[in-house]
Amino acid sequence: QLLNEGRGESCRATESRSVEAAAALERLIRATIEHGTNNSVLLVGAPGSGKKEVLQQVLDRLLEEFNEGGKSATVGVVRLSGLLHSDECGAMREIARQVCATWGLSFLKSASFSTNLRFLREILSELDKGDKTVIFVLDCLDLYTSKQKQGLLYNLLDALQGSQTQAAVVGVSNRHDCVELMEKRARSRFSYRKVVMAAPPAEEGMRVLKDLLCVPEGAPRGLFEGGEADRFNEEVAAMLASAEARAVLDRFFKCNATIHAVEQLVLGLICSMDSAARGSESETDSGDGSGSGLTLSMLKACCGSMSVTTFMKQALQMPILDLILLVAMQRLEMKGKKSYNFHHIYEEYQQMLAMNATRLANLSFGQEAALESYSRLLDQKFLMLTDTRRYVQQEFRLASLLMMGIDLEETISRHPNCPEVLRQWLFRKNVHTR
């Protein structure tokens, strides 16, 4: 009941990084509305960092300020998603539909891409005469920029270049290289403005965790009796301040550095306390709820279950050769290399193999098999190509590892078929820079 009263939203609203990102984003969009300065901006941050929530707060404030009830809208919002509107013809049709719905125009479903594009340019010109602004929100922008032909992006950004247009484009993504992935013609029309939703530090996460776990002063009557709420808050504060809990939470925040993850952790802890309280009541006649307090074992169990990322779930089922290449890439990063190609990785693997060559014949793989494994890791998004030159063969293009080192260590420790020597390769201390 306490969590459903908007406490998570209030905690995120006071988070300094969210406030700064919202202010920067609102300043850019407000300049378009008030001064006609067309802007294109990239809102970027990790999944769960609150990008959409910050964007929605900014749009709600601006729509409430500039749009008057009963009159034609001064500011309209057109929303597209790379997951839903991947087809350019369908995306342009959706733009025309939302524009027509906002300003009460008739929409033609059978219109072609060129017809809808011509309509878009004409309606933007007419809206500019009435000092009306269109804000285009492109969710999952990286799905648009990963295409070879980016006609939708080019036409939207090109429309912003005209003097008879008053519009803004806001791209939302968790990839920082979205702008670099654009075609040259689209990239040259982008404003190169970026608002970053940085991951909160561990101290901020600890503050939100404590605020959500503790019972507020204005808690509804009947939930707690006497000084039970104060006693519970003291127990929570003491447990979170212990060295063991801080070590567990530091590891948790390295893998789950978002406020959304903290909210999920709080929900898991509350469920664990509820289960412990019910078990205590069934075992004792008094039912004093002695087992309902927050314990270190509950914290470890909840943090451990949430620390299993998508990368770890995939890696726990992958073959040994894929794990070997991941370990080789991690060792290259420990040596100071930020990017590497397939031949660098295979050379590191050969050096790893030479450490125990006499008893590791079953871990010896040829270059063709390793190259196939490398391509599989690229398809599964464990790697990201940093070399965007399309004419260079894939095995010679530089790439970087997207999986965090702490996730790889946990995967190696949990993998059911991982040989012991692979653990030694990963945790080997004598890795030096050449």
Side-chain angles (χ1 to χ4, degrees), residues 19-157:
V19 175
E20 294 174 2
L25 186 62
E26 182 175 353
R27 184 170 59 253
L28 291 172
I29 300 178
R30 185 179 291 275
T32 301
I33 299 174
E34 295 180 346
H35 308 294
T37 306
N38 296 341
N39 287 311
S40 51
V41 57
L42 173 63
L43 179 60
V44 63
S49 58
K51 301 184 295 296
K52 295 180 183 178
E53 185 173 359
V54 167
L55 176 59
Q56 189 60 44
Q57 291 175 359
V58 171
L59 293 178
D60 288 343
R61 286 198 297 266
L62 294 175
L63 292 177
E64 183 180 0
E65 178 180 350
F66 291 98
N67 289 351
E68 299 180 5
K71 296 184 178 180
S72 178
T74 303
V75 179
V77 180
V78 176
R79 302 176 185 271
L80 295 179
S81 173
L83 294 172
L84 300 177
H85 312 106
S86 58
D87 178 61
E88 292 189 352
C89 183
M92 191 61 68
R93 185 184 301 113
E94 180 64 17
I95 291 175
R97 186 193 67 80
Q98 294 188 32
V99 169
C100 291
T102 302
W103 280 282
L105 304 175
S106 58
F107 170 61
L108 182 61
K109 294 183 179 179
S110 59
S112 62
F113 178 86
S114 58
T115 303
N116 285 326
L117 178 59
R118 185 168 59 254
F119 165 78
L120 177 62
R121 293 183 178 275
E122 292 175 356
I123 195 62
L124 287 177
S125 177
E126 293 297 324
L127 292 174
D128 177 64
K129 296 177 182 178
D131 291 332
K132 301 182 185 299
T133 305
V134 184
I135 302 173
F136 297 96
V137 177
L138 304 181
D139 193 13
C140 299
L141 180 65
D142 50 288
L143 297 182
Y144 288 111
T145 58
S146 61
K147 296 182 178 180
Q148 291 186 353
K149 295 183 178 180
Q150 303 172 9
L152 176 67
L153 281 178
Y154 167 74
N155 286 295
L156 283 180
L157 294 175

Side-chain angles (χ1 to χ4, degrees), residues 298-408:
M298 294 179 185
L299 184 64
K300 288 182 177 180
C302 291
C303 289
S305 61
M306 290 190 60
S307 296
V308 180
T309 62
T310 305
F311 279 137
M312 290 179 60
K313 292 178 181 178
Q314 291 180 305
L316 287 173
Q317 301 177 359
M318 64 173 42
I320 299 300
L321 179 55
D322 293 8
L323 282 179
I324 291 176
L325 295 186
L326 290 177
V327 170
M329 284 181 273
Q330 181 63 28
R331 287 175 61 88
L332 287 174
E333 295 203 351
M334 293 169 66
K335 293 180 177 180
K337 292 187 177 181
K338 300 301 181 182
S339 58
Y340 27 77
N341 59 26
F342 166 74
H343 294 283
H344 297 148
I345 300 170
Y346 191 75
E347 181 182 355
E348 180 66 25
Y349 159 64
Q350 292 293 331
Q351 294 180 6
M352 291 159 47
L353 197 63
M355 298 178 188
N356 308 89
T358 57
R359 55 188 181 90
L360 294 180
N362 58 333
L363 294 182
S364 179
F365 298 94
Q367 189 168 349
E368 293 184 1
L371 182 57
E372 182 179 350
S373 175
Y374 177 77
S375 302
R376 186 163 55 245
L377 291 175
L378 279 173
D379 294 338
Q380 295 175 351
K381 304 303 180 182
F382 281 89
L383 299 175
M384 178 185 67
L385 290 174
T386 58
D387 188 350
T388 58
R389 295 175 297 175
R390 301 181 184 273
Y391 58 87
V392 179
Q393 294 182 5
Q394 188 180 79
E395 59 186 284
F396 294 103
R397 295 169 68 180
L398 296 177
S400 60
L401 184 63
L402 296 179
M403 188 177 187
M404 295 178 60
I406 191 171
D407 288 348
L408 182 57

Side-chain angles (χ1 to χ4, degrees), residues 44-300:
V44 63
S49 58
K51 301 184 295 296
K52 295 180 183 178
E53 185 173 359
V54 167
L55 176 59
Q56 189 60 44
Q57 291 175 359
V58 171
L59 293 178
D60 288 343
R61 286 198 297 266
L62 294 175
L63 292 177
E64 183 180 0
E65 178 180 350
F66 291 98
N67 289 351
E68 299 180 5
K71 296 184 178 180
S72 178
T74 303
V75 179
V77 180
V78 176
R79 302 176 185 271
L80 295 179
S81 173
L83 294 172
L84 300 177
H85 312 106
S86 58
D87 178 61
E88 292 189 352
C89 183
M92 191 61 68
R93 185 184 301 113
E94 180 64 17
I95 291 175
R97 186 193 67 80
Q98 294 188 32
V99 169
C100 291
T102 302
W103 280 282
L105 304 175
S106 58
F107 170 61
L108 182 61
K109 294 183 179 179
S110 59
S112 62
F113 178 86
S114 58
T115 303
N116 285 326
L117 178 59
R118 185 168 59 254
F119 165 78
L120 177 62
R121 293 183 178 275
E122 292 175 356
I123 195 62
L124 287 177
S125 177
E126 293 297 324
L127 292 174
D128 177 64
K129 296 177 182 178
D131 291 332
K132 301 182 185 299
T133 305
V134 184
I135 302 173
F136 297 96
V137 177
L138 304 181
D139 193 13
C140 299
L141 180 65
D142 50 288
L143 297 182
Y144 288 111
T145 58
S146 61
K147 296 182 178 180
Q148 291 186 353
K149 295 183 178 180
Q150 303 172 9
L152 176 67
L153 281 178
Y154 167 74
N155 286 295
L156 283 180
L157 294 175
D158 186 62
L160 268 61
Q161 308 301 313
S163 59
Q164 298 180 350
T165 302
Q166 192 167 331
V169 175
V170 181
V172 183
S173 177
N174 55 11
R175 292 189 58 169
H176 289 259
D177 60 342
C178 273
V179 180
E180 287 73 17
L181 293 176
M182 290 183 183
E183 287 181 333
K184 184 178 180 180
R185 58 173 185 167
R187 187 168 62 250
S188 63
R189 287 162 172 78
F190 192 78
S191 301
Y192 283 91
R193 291 180 172 88
K194 183 184 294 187
V195 177
V196 181
M197 288 289 297
E203 294 78 10
E204 187 70 23
M206 287 286 292
R207 180 191 68 81
V208 176
L209 178 62
K210 184 178 179 181
D211 289 347
L212 290 178
L213 279 177
C214 291
V215 181
E217 295 181 358
R221 294 183 178 181
L223 291 180
F224 299 93
E225 299 178 357
E228 186 177 354
D230 295 335
R231 184 170 61 254
F232 175 79
N233 290 344
E234 292 175 359
E235 292 176 356
V236 169
M239 200 279 293
L240 294 179
S242 64
E244 296 85 354
R246 285 190 171 276
V248 173
L249 289 174
D250 285 342
R251 186 177 181 88
F252 171 78
F253 287 125
K254 288 180 180 179
C255 300
N256 305 275
T258 62
I259 302 300
H260 176 72
V262 177
E263 295 174 350
Q264 297 299 317
L265 176 61
V266 171
L267 183 60
L269 291 173
I270 291 177
C271 293
S272 299
M273 288 187 286
D274 183 66
S275 300
R278 293 177 185 274
S280 177
E281 291 176 359
S282 62
E283 292 177 1
T284 60
D285 296 330
S286 60
D288 57 356
S290 59
S292 60
L294 182 63
T295 62
L296 183 62
S297 59
M298 294 179 185
L299 184 64
K300 288 182 177 180

